[in-house]
Amino acid sequence: MSSPVIAVDPDTSVEEAMALFTDRRIRHAPVVDDDVLVGMISIGDLVRMQSAQQSFKIQYLTEYISAG
């Protein structure tokens, strides 16, 4: 674990967290809300979320184009 601990808060966006993980070369981080540990997040969690977001956008655009 790195020192000081690198943490994110529940409002941190996927893009912000990905940038933080990349810049700091970390794979996991605690999620802290008002100095209380509320969870842990991993790079795998972020990749899955980003993939789901992209799939939703592709589906929306496909339906939009098909309806035209």
Side-chain angles (χ1 to χ4, degrees):
M1 182 170 276
S2 58
S3 179
V5 174
I6 299 164
V8 297
D9 64 51
D11 296 326
T12 303
S13 71
V14 172
E15 293 79 14
E16 290 172 322
M18 289 287 281
L20 177 68
F21 278 44
T22 300
D23 291 344
R24 302 303 294 266
R25 295 180 176 233
I26 58 174
R27 298 182 55 82
H28 301 86
V31 180
V32 178
D33 190 16
D34 292 327
D35 294 330
V36 175
L37 178 66
V38 294
M40 291 289 293
I41 192 162
S42 72
I43 191 79
D45 297 329
L46 296 173
V47 169
R48 276 189 294 280
M49 179 58 99
Q50 205 167 39
S51 176
Q53 288 174 343
Q54 288 176 347
S55 293
F56 175 76
K57 288 177 186 176
I58 290 168
Q59 179 182 353
Y60 174 79
L61 291 173
T62 301
E63 289 173 5
Y64 176 78
I65 291 168
S66 298

